[in-house]
């Protein structure tokens, strides 16, 4: 989501409502799916109510000025409200259950760390994919044959018309050195490492 809290504040009322509707529509499917998997014992209707209540709370907090600064993403803020509303619902539906906000918060922290790590890994993979796509021949073909088509060095040597598998392996290693160096420089410029 590219819209920030600062951008939301400076919008006029109709633009604010339009952007808010966009946030609502963008976050809804992922929110429902996440909370369905996380709180599988809750009914989907309850999760939809939690989502609607969370967005309403977010909206009211912005309008009232209660939400002055946001130190996380809009998505994280809304998910946190949702988590708190889910805990409240569970406590109301099952007063005998000892649901602690601290326990759920601990699980959410683990989930957040996992999600951030996965996102960082995806960004690195995209950077490497970008670099591999920019390779020139023969590196592009060798790496494609070896890593994506899972061909043996012997087959690669035959297809690339090299003397033998050792020559193909040497060429692959040279190409990988180029990829590693280029990837390292590229990721440093993106701030990924």
């Amino acid at each position: 989501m590219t819209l920030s809290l600062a951008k939301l504040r400076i919008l006029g009322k109709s633009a604010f409502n339009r952007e808010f509707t966009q946030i609502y529509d963008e976050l809804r499917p992922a929110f429902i799916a996440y909370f369905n998997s996380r709180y599988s014992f809750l009914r989907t209707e309850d999760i939809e109510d939690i989502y609607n209540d969370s967005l309403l709370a977010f909206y009211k907090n912005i309008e009232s000025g209660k939400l002055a600064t946001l130190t996380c993403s809009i998505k994280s803020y809304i998910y946190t409200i949702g988590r708190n509303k889910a805990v409240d619902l569970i406590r109301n539906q099952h007063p005998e259950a000892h649901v602690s906000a601290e326990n759920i918060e601990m699980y959410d922290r683990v989930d957040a760390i996992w999600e951030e790590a996965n996102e960082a890994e995806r960004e690195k993979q995209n950077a490497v994919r970008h670099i591999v796509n920019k390779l020139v021949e023969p590196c592009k073909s060798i790496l494609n044959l070896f890593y994506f088509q899972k061909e043996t060095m012997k087959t690669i040597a035959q297809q690339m018309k090299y003397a033998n598998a050792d020559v193909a392996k040497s060429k692959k290693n040279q190409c990988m050195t180029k990829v590693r160096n280029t990837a390292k420089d590229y990721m440093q410029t993106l701030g990924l490492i």
Side-chain angles (χ1 to χ4, degrees):
M1 173 153 327
T2 58
L3 192 64
S4 69
L5 185 60
K7 288 180 187 175
L8 272 176
R9 275 210 188 86
I10 62 173
L11 296 173
K13 186 72 172 172
S14 65
F16 175 86
N17 288 338
R18 194 171 38 255
E19 292 296 331
F20 191 83
T21 300
Q22 182 181 348
I23 291 170
Y24 179 92
D25 292 339
E26 283 181 21
L27 293 181
R28 189 176 187 282
F31 183 100
I32 301 296
Y34 174 79
F35 277 74
N36 265 327
S37 68
R38 184 88 157 93
Y39 304 102
S40 57
F41 47 88
L42 291 177
R43 297 175 317 150
T44 300
E45 295 82 18
D46 290 334
I47 293 171
E48 289 172 350
D49 288 344
I50 289 169
Y51 181 68
N52 291 332
D53 292 346
S54 299
L55 265 286
L56 183 60
F58 174 61
Y59 185 89
K60 286 180 178 178
N61 289 345
I62 292 172
E63 275 201 328
S64 70
K66 181 179 176 184
L67 181 59
T69 58
L70 195 57
T71 58
C72 61
S73 69
I74 292 173
K75 176 182 175 182
S76 295
Y77 185 81
I78 292 169
Y79 275 53
T80 300
I81 294 172
R83 177 187 55 94
N84 292 336
K85 292 191 175 295
V87 168
D88 290 344
L89 180 64
I90 295 165
R91 284 184 182 147
N92 289 336
Q93 287 181 349
H94 305 282
E96 73 284 355
H98 299 286
V99 179
S100 115
E102 293 79 25
N103 288 346
I104 290 182
E105 187 174 322
M106 179 189 67
Y107 289 122
D108 285 344
R109 282 189 196 137
V110 170
D111 283 349
I113 291 167
W114 183 254
E115 187 175 310
E116 286 174 20
N118 285 339
E119 180 63 28
E121 190 60 33
R122 280 190 297 273
E123 287 177 8
K124 287 179 183 177
Q125 287 173 353
N126 286 337
V128 170
R129 190 172 295 118
H130 172 78
I131 291 164
V132 170
N133 286 336
K134 297 258 182 206
L135 285 175
V136 294
E137 294 301 335
C139 288
K140 192 172 191 173
S141 292
I142 292 169
L143 296 178
N144 182 44
L145 289 167
F146 186 77
Y147 288 106
F148 299 111
Q149 295 182 24
K150 306 292 186 199
E151 297 291 349
T152 65
M153 283 297 149
K154 183 178 178 181
T155 303
I156 294 170
Q158 291 169 347
Q159 287 187 13
M160 300 298 293
K161 299 186 181 9
Y162 293 135
N164 57 43
D166 290 333
V167 174
K169 185 175 181 180
S170 175
K171 290 284 190 184
K172 180 191 74 83
N173 289 337
Q174 290 171 4
C175 293
M176 281 307 300
T177 299
K178 286 181 190 176
V179 168
R180 277 189 210 98
N181 292 336
T182 306
K184 183 179 176 185
D185 292 343
Y186 183 70
M187 286 186 217
Q188 283 177 336
T189 62
L190 294 177
L192 297 175
I193 57 172

